[in-house]
Amino acid sequence: GGGEEEEEEEGEEKHQRKPLVASSIMDGMTAEEVEALKATPPNSLEGYTSTVLSAVDLSSLPNLSGVLRSYAQQVVRNVDDFAVPAYDNSPSISDVAYEKARLLYEKTGMPVISSQTSVTVSPLEQKSYKDLDFAGLSKDEMRRIQAERNAPPRAQSSYYFPDLDPSIPALISALLHSSPPDRTVTFTTCVTYHSGDLTLQDYGSVEVPVAFYKPERAYVSVSHAIDAVAKKVGDQLGWQYLGGMTQGRS
């Protein structure tokens, strides 16, 4: 996997469809809380020069904060409870990430970095065993081939989830007995920066064997996307890359 250099058009023209996303944390912010956030100064003793908000999974927050620290940007609040209702046709992860950032920006007037990660299970390839010498196979290989041949159509299909759905581990477990070792799961992450007049996005992805699926594997795709977006924003806004900042920097 790696960061895909995909450019997104700036502004809302790119995002004609607005996915339904909701956050009780964001909706519950009072005007006083918003003003307090906007008035929060960056911690200059730690070397920060500006503040941003984030809308990322809690597991991604340390990664995002670490990358932004290298650009002297401090995350002062994260909203991690955005929910996307089920769709017949799932919205793209870029639209969902953008909508999270747009809504939080409209609520607060502060720059926002958001993310959305999808999961794709590859389809089961239809294989022909008519010329296979079964006599030379072990019992384990015979059982695996029999399971593949007997797999119901649903088990052979590809699966797409627009987020890290909690039902995915159960599905993976059900698919394992009829899946060959080369069947894969792909995590794809879109990270968005939005500040009203500037919208930048980039992607990261990682592919792993289905047997090694863990939600934590998304860390790789998230890392690629965060690094790519931070560099893009830094280039656009003149953020100076400081590398590993240390406490006490003034």
Side-chain angles (χ1 to χ4, degrees):
E4 300 172 15
E5 291 299 323
E6 296 190 24
E7 292 287 343
E8 293 285 341
E9 295 177 23
E10 295 178 17
E12 297 195 23
E13 297 79 8
K14 175 69 179 177
H15 303 272
Q16 296 298 326
R17 182 184 180 192
K18 293 182 178 179
L20 296 173
V21 300
S23 164
S24 58
I25 292 177
M26 181 188 72
D27 292 343
M29 286 183 183
T30 65
E32 290 77 14
E33 289 173 328
V34 169
E35 287 306 311
L37 271 179
K38 294 169 74 171
T40 302
N43 187 340
S44 59
L45 293 178
E46 295 278 348
Y48 293 106
T49 59
S50 301
T51 59
V52 299
L53 303 181
S54 61
V56 301
D57 293 330
L58 201 56
S59 60
S60 303
L61 185 58
N63 189 357
L64 175 64
S65 298
V67 171
L68 293 182
R69 182 180 176 84
S70 297
Y71 291 92
Q73 306 298 306
Q74 183 178 9
V75 179
V76 292
R77 182 72 183 272
N78 181 55
V79 177
D80 66 342
D81 74 331
F82 275 99
V84 184
Y87 281 81
D88 290 334
N89 296 307
S90 297
S92 69
I93 56 174
S94 65
D95 282 345
V96 173
Y98 170 75
E99 190 67 359
K100 289 178 179 179
R102 185 188 71 82
L103 289 174
L104 191 52
Y105 171 80
E106 287 189 353
K107 178 81 174 186
T108 64
M110 295 179 66
V112 179
I113 294 182
S114 63
S115 70
Q116 185 71 13
T117 298
S118 67
V119 177
T120 304
V121 181
S122 66
L124 195 63
E125 293 185 23
Q126 297 298 314
K127 298 179 180 178
S128 173
Y129 298 103
K130 64 180 182 179
D131 298 323
L132 186 63
D133 178 15
F134 286 92
L137 298 179
S138 68
K139 289 183 179 180
D140 285 345
E141 290 171 322
M142 285 290 292
R143 278 196 292 266
R144 180 177 60 78
I145 290 172
Q146 195 62 40
E148 288 180 29
R149 296 172 76 175
N150 295 337
R154 283 183 60 83
Q156 300 177 31
S157 302
S158 63
Y159 292 83
Y160 173 80
F161 298 86
D163 54 22
L164 294 173
D165 192 297
S167 69
I168 296 176
L171 169 69
I172 297 295
S173 179
L175 293 177
L176 277 178
H177 76 283
S178 59
S179 296
D182 58 352
R183 193 173 196 180
T184 60
V185 177
T186 302
F187 297 91
T188 305
T189 299
C190 177
V191 171
T192 298
Y193 173 91
H194 182 67
S195 60
D197 56 349
L198 178 64
T199 299
L200 294 170
Q201 296 187 306
D202 216 311
Y203 299 81
S205 66
V206 64
E207 184 180 272
V208 298
V210 68
F212 293 102
Y213 172 84
K214 288 183 179 180
E216 295 81 8
R217 306 274 183 196
Y219 177 87
V220 179
S221 63
V222 170
S223 294
H224 286 309
I226 288 174
D227 288 342
V229 164
K231 186 176 186 309
K232 279 185 176 181
V233 179
D235 290 344
Q236 286 274 347
L237 299 183
W239 289 355
Q240 184 180 0
Y241 181 74
L242 303 174
M245 289 168 51
T246 57
Q247 291 188 6
R249 183 185 178 95
S250 57

